[in-house]
Amino acid sequence: MAPVITYLLNNAPWIAVIVLAIIGSWKMSKYHAKLEETRNKVENLPCDKHKDDIRDSGQRYDELQRIVSSTNDMVVEINKWLMKFDNDMIDKLAKKASPLKMTPLGEVLFEESSAKKTIDNNIDFLIKELEDINPQTAYDVEEEALSYLLRNMGNEIFADIKQFLYYSPDTIQLKDPASGEDKAVRLSMQSIIKLMSIYLRDLYLKKHPDIV
């Protein structure tokens, strides 16, 4: 498996991250199924044995949570590392304007890639997930929105975006509303998710105007 991941990181990094996310989800479901099976079995055991096995099940669950958390953290860090190599492209799509905002060209890609539709169709779910994280400042909201989306690239809600990336060339031409000229845009899941995080941040802050 390691050589495959290495190859994907070098040749198709966004696919590698999705694979890692899927592996993490698979591990979680596998361990969770085993844990539930163990819990069901110990229900009819004698009291002392029951307590010991319940304690053992709890320890397994804690270990499962640690493994999943570690895998998710790795997915986020790999993505953020990849973004550093895509700064020039991301700067074309988003600019620092206190706070970070999409450029007109970024807004075109946001629409064309189905990223806006993805957020809009799942906004209640995404807002609830961020509320569970409970960011305390606008900066935290922006960071947590990005991290959450990066951690969940394997989720089925990204299907339309993946299809867009799969059937598009590495670089596409989009008309920049600001200049009226066609501009080359190099596609990556990371740059699209960056745009999604800005949009999600704004929707979250609109619902929570007390956060500054």
Side-chain angles (χ1 to χ4, degrees):
M1 179 62 71
V4 174
I5 296 298
T6 300
Y7 174 82
L8 290 175
L9 282 171
N10 291 329
N11 295 275
W14 69 272
I15 294 179
V17 175
I18 290 174
V19 169
L20 286 170
I22 292 173
I23 290 173
S25 298
W26 173 76
K27 283 185 177 180
M28 183 173 182
S29 62
K30 180 181 177 182
Y31 279 98
H32 182 72
K34 287 184 177 180
L35 179 60
E36 288 301 314
E37 181 182 356
T38 300
R39 284 178 172 172
N40 290 333
K41 286 181 178 179
V42 300
E43 288 299 327
N44 296 318
L45 293 175
C47 185
D48 289 343
K49 180 63 175 175
H50 192 173
K51 291 179 181 178
D52 290 341
D53 283 357
I54 289 176
R55 182 170 59 251
D56 182 58
S57 295
Q59 291 172 348
R60 290 184 185 180
Y61 183 78
D62 291 342
E63 178 64 12
L64 164 62
Q65 294 294 92
R66 186 193 66 77
I67 292 171
V68 172
S69 177
S70 177
T71 301
N72 287 339
D73 289 344
M74 179 174 62
V75 168
V76 172
E77 291 308 313
I78 289 174
N79 273 289
K80 289 183 177 179
W81 176 76
L82 291 171
M83 283 180 173
K84 293 179 182 179
F85 295 91
D86 212 19
N87 272 342
D88 290 343
M89 191 69 259
I90 291 177
D91 287 344
K92 287 184 180 180
L93 304 173
K95 63 180 179 181
K96 186 67 176 177
S98 298
L100 193 67
K101 294 183 178 180
M102 291 187 221
T103 65
L105 184 62
E107 291 176 355
V108 173
L109 177 61
F110 188 57
E111 291 272 1
E112 292 284 336
S113 64
S114 296
K116 183 178 186 300
K117 181 179 74 172
T118 296
I119 296 290
D120 288 341
N121 288 349
N122 298 279
I123 188 58
D124 291 340
F125 167 75
L126 293 170
I127 292 290
K128 176 62 168 58
E129 291 296 296
L130 283 182
E131 286 175 340
D132 289 344
I133 297 172
N134 193 28
Q136 297 298 302
T137 68
Y139 174 85
D140 293 335
V141 173
E142 184 172 303
E143 287 294 302
E144 293 297 347
L146 176 62
S147 294
Y148 179 83
L149 292 170
L150 291 175
R151 279 197 303 270
N152 290 277
M153 287 169 61
N155 194 295
E156 62 182 8
I157 69 173
F158 286 89
D160 289 341
I161 300 172
K162 293 173 191 174
Q163 186 175 37
F164 169 78
L165 290 170
Y166 183 80
Y167 287 106
S168 298
D170 290 341
T171 301
I172 62 174
Q173 295 290 325
L174 294 176
K175 185 175 290 295
D176 185 355
S179 65
E181 300 176 355
D182 288 342
K183 291 190 177 179
V185 175
R186 188 174 63 255
L187 297 178
S188 73
M189 178 65 87
Q190 287 77 21
S191 60
I192 291 174
I193 285 183
K194 185 68 174 180
L195 298 177
M196 295 172 72
S197 70
I198 294 171
Y199 185 60
L200 178 57
R201 174 206 67 195
D202 290 344
L203 294 178
Y204 188 89
L205 291 175
K206 184 177 180 180
K207 184 176 180 182
H208 297 275
D210 54 311
I211 296 178
V212 295

